[in-house]
């Protein structure tokens, strides 16, 4: 029973492993060095069990943002060709990185938006890490609005995993015109735009946006590493999307006193101008208002709405 | 409310975070740390013991000296021994994705449009600096503010509401919570007409003013359902088929027997309270959703589409 009491807990093992690797010399530590330093590894009954535990811990550390470096060299002893250390960059917070109480309040709200959805746990653990930067209290009560992000697409979790692991993925993608193709991309970022989840991903050498609702197959995560992408490339694409949206302009007529009239805030006039990211998505929103709305321009949007409604009639004839 | 349970990775993360904070700001009370990190004092103590037990058994050296006597009295103090760890690692990609997406979502909410703190924190976390689009409450900004005030002060409101059929009514509502889901604000409140908790889309509330009375005991005791669509009375079971892209229609109704085909399309049944409302929900997908039956449901869909295309012969009083 006494041995049970002293048994190292998994969190202690991960913490001690991190400490040992942080304190490692420049040439890193061999597996045997690590096994000799941490009681959980020593307690294992076989090398197989020890190795399995170590592999699992390496994965956990990487998932938690601790960059484990593996140094391979034949100049080490035969049993020690791989040596391990932690990149100091993992812990190098930018100088002057500081959050105010208001920043923290907003981050709390952002984490809360996940509710019990797929990214709720990493959002909370990220928040804990940020709180360690100082005893700054959230400046006031949380907003009176409870934001709730919903991520129900089956593709969401594997894409988040692939972003984490920096791996290539493949999936079947259907464009609004019905054209379907297999895409092999490096997922970079998931964003929620116009009520839709959008994946920012690099396909060959171009960064593109993919709507998750248009991914029609299972997302397969490849063993292959994804393409390296610089942050400034991502920023540029995001800026281009903002410009694209601001240039996409639709003019609508809404019937006074209807739900559409209230929704689009037409006030006294009946004509409204709105900006949009995706014409097919906007057409869906407009079709829902039926006869209460008509499109003045662009013509392509007007036709899309008319064609959509005609397709409804044809399919239900 | 502080959480009582934490898994191994969570405890590891908390231990790293406590190291960072205590080494930076000095000794602290476990109660202080519990409040700051949002965990119970028991969990904080467990995390500090994780730091204390970080012994390099091969070298007979410890990484941190933790004063366990002080810890038993509710104070956390330690110093580094062999360790060169003095702060937690940077956010992982997954943590960044989660927080950045949450901030991105906030940035699109009308109440945060001009918020400079949000702009700053989005730049710090790397969630971009400008929202791509915003969800304008347009006509209902003042309504939203009035409702938020009523939720805060627990005061009943009288609201002029247009339902999804375009029918206007005045409702007495005990406002309980305002939620922002997808791209819409919803008021979750006790409806005195229906005597249950209902969801009201705020863009459908034309005006809202306080009645001057407090919210009812029934409202205070009521549970708020997770889903906004709530229970459907006088329901009709409608069988539908939806393409992969339009399959989200099943998220908007209580659904049953939903099956997904290899091409990503889905089929199943939904419970519908009103056929005219079904018409608009199906029509929004422009032919990507097919109503298989019953016949009156198909007719409601074609009637909505015909009217939307300008056919004036459709009866106005259809339900």
């Amino acid at each position: 029973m006494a041995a049970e009491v002293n048994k190292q807990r998994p969190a202690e093992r991960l913490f001690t492993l991190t400490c040992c690797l942080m304190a490692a010399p420049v040439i890193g530590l061999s597996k045997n060095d690590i096994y000799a330093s941490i009681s959980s590894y020593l307690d294992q009954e076989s090398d197989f069990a020890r190795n399995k535990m170590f592999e699992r811990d390496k994965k956990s550390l990487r998932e938690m943002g601790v960059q484990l470096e593996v140094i391979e060299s034949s100049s080490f002893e035969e049993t020690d060709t791989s040596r391990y250390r932690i990149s100091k960059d993992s812990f190098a917070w930018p100088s002057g990185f500081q959050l105010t109480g208001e920043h923290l309040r907003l981050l709390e709200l952002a984490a809360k938006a996940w509710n019990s959805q797929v990214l709720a746990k990493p959002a909370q653990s990220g928040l804990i890490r940020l709180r360690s930067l100082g005893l700054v209290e959230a400046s006031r009560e949380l907003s009176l609005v409870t934001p709730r992000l919903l991520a129900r697409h089956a593709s969401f979790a594997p894409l988040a995993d692939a972003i984490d692991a920096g791996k290539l993925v493949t999936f079947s993608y259907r464009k609004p015109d019905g054209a379907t193709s297999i895409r092999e991309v490096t997922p970079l970022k998931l964003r929620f735009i116009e009520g839709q989840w959008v994946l920012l991903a690099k396909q060959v050498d171009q960064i593109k946006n993919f709507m998750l609702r248009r991914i029609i197959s299972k997302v397969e995560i490849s063993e292959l590493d994804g393409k390296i992408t610089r942050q400034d490339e991502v920023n540029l694409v995001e800026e281009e999307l903002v410009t694209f949206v601001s240039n996409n302009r639709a003019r609508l007529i809404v019937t006074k006193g209807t739900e559409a009239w209230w929704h689009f805030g037409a006030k006294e006039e009946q004509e409204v101008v709105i900006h949009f990211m995706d014409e097919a998505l906007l057409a869906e929103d407009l079709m829902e208002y039926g006869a209460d709305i008509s499109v003045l321009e662009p013509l392509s949007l007007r036709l899309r709405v008319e064609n959509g409604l005609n397709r409804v009639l044809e399919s239900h004839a | 409310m502080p959480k009582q349970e934490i898994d191994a990775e969570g405890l590891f993360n908390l231990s790293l975070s406590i190291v960072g904070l205590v080494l930076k700001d000095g000794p602290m009370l476990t109660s202080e740390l519990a409040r700051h990190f949002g965990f119970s004092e028991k969990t904080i103590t467990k995390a500090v013991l994780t730091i204390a037990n970080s012994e390099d058994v091969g070298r007979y050296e410890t990484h941190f000296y933790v004063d366990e006597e002080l810890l038993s009295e509710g104070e956390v103090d330690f110093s580094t021994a062999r360790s060169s760890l003095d702060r937690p690692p940077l956010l992982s990609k997954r943590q960044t994705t989660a927080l950045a997406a949450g901030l991105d979502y906030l940035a699109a909410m009308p109440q945060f449009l001009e918020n400079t703190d949000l702009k700053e924190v989005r730049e710090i976390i790397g969630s971009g600096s400008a929202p791509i689009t915003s969800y304008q409450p347009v006509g209902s900004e003042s309504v939203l503010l009035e409702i938020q005030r009523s939720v805060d002060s627990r005061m009943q409101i009288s609201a002029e509401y247009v339902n999804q059929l375009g029918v206007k009514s005045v409702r007495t509502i005990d406002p309980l919570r305002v939620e922002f889901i997808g791209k819409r604000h919803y008021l979750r409140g006790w409806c005195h007409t229906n005597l249950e908790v209902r969801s009201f889309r705020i863009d459908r509330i034309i005006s809202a003013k306080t009645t001057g009375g407090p919210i009812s005991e029934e409202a205070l005791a009521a549970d708020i359902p997770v889903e906004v669509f709530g229970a459907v009375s006088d329901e009709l079971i409608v069988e539908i088929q939806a393409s992969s892209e339009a399959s989200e229609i099943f998220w908007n109704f209580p659904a049953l027997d939903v099956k997904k085909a290899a091409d990503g399309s889905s089929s199943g049944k939904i419970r519908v309270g009103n056929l005219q409302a079904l018409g608009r929900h199906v029509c929004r997908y422009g032919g990507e959703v097919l109503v298989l039956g019953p016949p009156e449901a198909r007719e409601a869909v074609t009637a909505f589409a015909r009217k939307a295309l300008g056919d004036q012969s459709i009866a106005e009083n259809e339900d």
Side-chain angles (χ1 to χ4, degrees):
Chain A
M1 288 303 283
E4 279 295 306
V5 172
N6 295 325
K7 200 175 157 193
Q8 198 174 33
R9 290 178 304 189
E12 290 171 356
R13 188 175 75 241
L14 285 173
F15 189 86
T16 312
L17 175 61
T18 307
C19 290
C20 287
L21 290 167
M22 284 287 285
V26 182
I27 57 157
L29 295 176
S30 69
K31 262 189 199 177
N32 287 334
D33 293 335
I34 293 167
Y35 293 167
S37 298
I38 298 168
S39 63
S40 293
Y41 296 130
L42 284 173
D43 290 345
Q44 295 305 301
E45 285 175 2
S46 66
D47 282 345
F48 175 77
R50 243 185 303 279
N51 287 334
K52 201 172 155 193
M53 184 180 259
F54 183 53
E55 289 305 312
R56 204 168 53 229
D57 291 346
K58 282 195 297 183
K59 186 168 175 277
S60 293
L61 289 187
R62 286 188 175 121
E63 281 173 0
M64 295 295 283
V66 178
Q67 293 169 41
L68 202 61
E69 292 178 335
V70 185
I71 307 160
E72 302 283 355
S73 175
S74 54
S75 62
F76 302 138
E77 282 179 43
E78 202 175 322
T79 52
D80 281 347
T81 53
S82 296
R83 298 180 75 90
Y84 302 87
R85 66 181 184 193
I86 285 175
S87 163
K88 296 284 188 286
D89 290 348
S90 305
F91 293 80
W93 291 80
S95 62
F97 187 102
Q98 209 162 9
L99 295 171
T100 64
E102 188 63 16
H103 293 157
L104 203 57
R105 183 186 79 87
L106 291 163
L107 284 160
E108 282 172 358
L109 200 58
K112 198 178 164 192
W114 281 104
N115 201 2
S116 54
Q117 295 273 314
V118 62
L119 291 185
K121 204 173 136 189
Q124 283 301 335
S125 65
L127 194 57
I128 289 165
R129 221 172 261 192
L130 292 171
R131 282 192 187 123
S132 76
L133 301 176
L135 264 184
V136 180
E137 294 297 333
S139 60
R140 56 190 153 97
E141 281 297 297
L142 288 177
S143 164
L144 293 170
V145 176
T146 310
R148 268 176 60 192
L149 272 166
L150 298 176
R152 289 163 154 168
H153 298 281
S155 55
F156 191 95
L159 288 172
D161 287 343
I163 290 172
D164 231 14
K167 297 290 183 189
L168 275 172
V169 297
T170 50
F171 52 75
S172 197
Y173 194 72
R174 183 176 180 240
K175 289 171 90 168
D177 62 7
T180 303
S181 56
I182 305 283
R183 309 296 184 106
E184 185 182 66
V185 302
T186 305
L188 303 171
K189 198 170 180 179
L190 285 158
R191 296 199 63 179
F192 196 74
I193 310 170
E194 283 191 5
Q196 292 293 330
W197 281 106
V198 176
L199 170 71
L200 207 68
K202 197 170 207 175
Q203 186 179 352
V204 191
D205 288 322
Q206 206 183 350
I207 300 176
K208 294 181 174 179
N209 295 290
F210 298 91
M211 225 171 273
L212 264 59
R213 59 179 285 184
R214 295 182 182 147
I215 294 176
I216 59 171
S217 69
K218 199 176 158 201
V219 173
E220 301 286 352
I221 304 178
S222 164
E223 287 296 310
L224 300 172
D225 287 340
K227 287 189 177 287
I228 305 287
T229 307
R230 296 188 319 272
Q231 186 56 42
D232 60 321
E233 291 178 79
V234 176
N235 294 348
L236 184 65
V237 171
E238 293 194 318
E239 281 164 25
E240 283 169 358
L241 188 57
V242 174
T243 311
F244 176 73
V245 170
S246 62
N247 290 337
N248 280 345
R249 188 172 166 273
R251 257 190 337 126
L252 316 169
I253 290 283
V254 288
T255 310
K256 201 167 179 179
T258 61
E259 185 200 340
W261 190 67
W262 288 107
H263 176 78
F264 289 103
K267 295 185 179 150
E268 287 313 305
E269 69 281 14
Q270 288 185 285
E271 187 179 314
V272 287
V273 174
I274 54 170
H275 296 275
F276 59 94
M277 172 183 68
D278 185 281
E279 193 179 271
L281 275 186
L282 177 62
E284 282 185 4
D285 285 345
L286 300 183
M287 283 188 279
E288 194 177 327
Y289 289 108
D292 295 340
I293 212 154
S294 56
V295 179
L296 293 176
E297 60 178 24
L299 179 63
S300 54
L301 177 64
R302 195 163 87 200
L303 292 176
R304 201 184 276 274
V305 169
E306 284 174 13
N307 292 341
L309 291 167
N310 278 318
R311 272 198 303 275
V312 173
L313 286 179
E314 284 159 21
S315 58
H316 291 84
Chain B
M1 185 188 284
K3 287 182 186 174
Q4 295 301 320
E5 290 178 353
I6 192 166
D7 64 11
E9 286 186 359
L11 193 61
F12 168 58
N13 189 55
L14 182 60
S15 304
L16 291 169
S17 303
I18 290 174
V19 166
L21 186 60
V22 172
L23 288 183
K24 180 174 168 290
D25 288 357
M28 283 178 200
L29 300 175
T30 47
S31 57
E32 208 175 357
L33 289 167
R35 206 168 43 249
H36 185 66
F37 287 111
F39 289 96
S40 66
E41 287 188 52
K42 195 176 160 194
T43 301
I44 296 293
T45 305
K46 222 166 146 182
V48 178
L49 288 173
T50 300
I51 300 165
N53 295 339
S54 60
E55 191 190 356
D56 183 332
V57 288
R59 293 170 179 268
Y60 305 102
E61 281 179 321
T62 188
H63 289 281
F64 289 94
Y65 296 117
V66 176
D67 191 328
E68 295 198 36
E69 202 179 307
L70 266 184
L71 182 65
S72 67
E73 291 164 11
E75 196 174 336
V76 177
D77 188 15
F78 52 79
S79 56
T80 47
R82 182 171 150 66
S83 178
S84 56
L85 184 75
D86 61 358
R87 67 192 78 179
L90 298 172
L91 295 181
S92 71
K93 279 188 188 171
R94 185 164 281 237
Q95 288 168 336
T96 304
T97 297
L99 289 171
L103 291 171
D104 209 22
Y105 190 46
L106 296 189
M109 288 171 69
Q111 32 300 59
F112 294 112
L113 277 185
E114 304 295 328
N115 191 309
T116 50
D117 292 295
L118 181 57
K119 192 169 181 289
E120 284 168 13
V121 74
R122 290 182 76 215
E123 277 166 8
I124 292 170
I125 300 299
S127 80
S129 55
I132 306 292
T133 50
S134 66
Y135 308 115
Q136 69 282 35
V138 280
S140 48
E141 238 164 323
S142 56
V143 171
L144 180 60
L145 274 177
E146 182 62 39
I147 291 172
Q148 283 178 321
R149 271 198 288 265
S150 306
V151 171
D152 192 32
S153 58
R154 295 187 166 192
M155 297 297 277
Q156 192 176 71
I157 57 164
S158 172
E160 199 182 351
Y161 184 67
V162 186
N163 72 6
Q164 56 181 332
L165 308 178
V167 179
K168 267 187 210 170
S169 61
V170 176
R171 310 278 187 100
T172 303
I173 304 167
D174 294 337
L176 297 171
R177 187 195 293 165
V178 176
E179 289 184 340
F180 187 69
I181 307 172
K183 55 179 177 177
R184 293 193 171 108
H185 284 90
Y186 292 85
L187 165 63
R188 317 293 300 274
W190 180 266
C191 174
H192 284 258
T193 308
N194 298 296
L195 296 178
E196 62 182 0
V197 174
R198 287 279 173 115
S199 302
F200 301 91
R201 259 174 59 177
I202 289 183
D203 61 345
R204 288 182 180 152
I205 297 179
I206 299 167
S207 66
K209 57 177 188 233
T210 175
T211 63
I215 65 172
S216 63
E217 291 298 319
E218 293 97 319
L220 286 170
D223 287 329
I224 304 175
V226 176
E227 298 289 358
V228 282
F229 45 65
V232 179
S233 54
D234 301 328
E235 67 191 23
L236 181 71
I237 304 279
V238 177
E239 200 174 348
I240 61 170
Q241 205 170 57
S243 72
S244 172
E245 194 170 342
S247 290
E248 63 184 36
I249 192 171
F250 286 103
W251 303 342
N252 298 325
F253 294 90
L256 50 154
D257 301 336
V258 183
K259 290 184 183 72
K260 200 162 182 177
D263 64 354
S265 65
S266 305
S267 59
K269 293 169 186 152
I270 52 174
R271 293 180 198 273
V272 177
N274 183 288
L275 284 179
Q276 199 179 335
L278 174 73
R280 62 183 290 168
H281 277 287
V282 170
C283 282
R284 78 169 270 131
Y285 294 106
E288 298 283 310
V289 174
L290 179 65
V291 175
L292 301 171
E296 60 266 38
R298 289 174 62 90
E299 279 158 24
V301 171
T302 52
F304 186 91
R306 279 211 308 276
K307 191 176 170 199
L309 283 165
D311 186 342
Q312 300 303 315
S313 64
I314 308 299
E316 289 293 328
N317 61 350
E318 184 174 349
D319 197 338

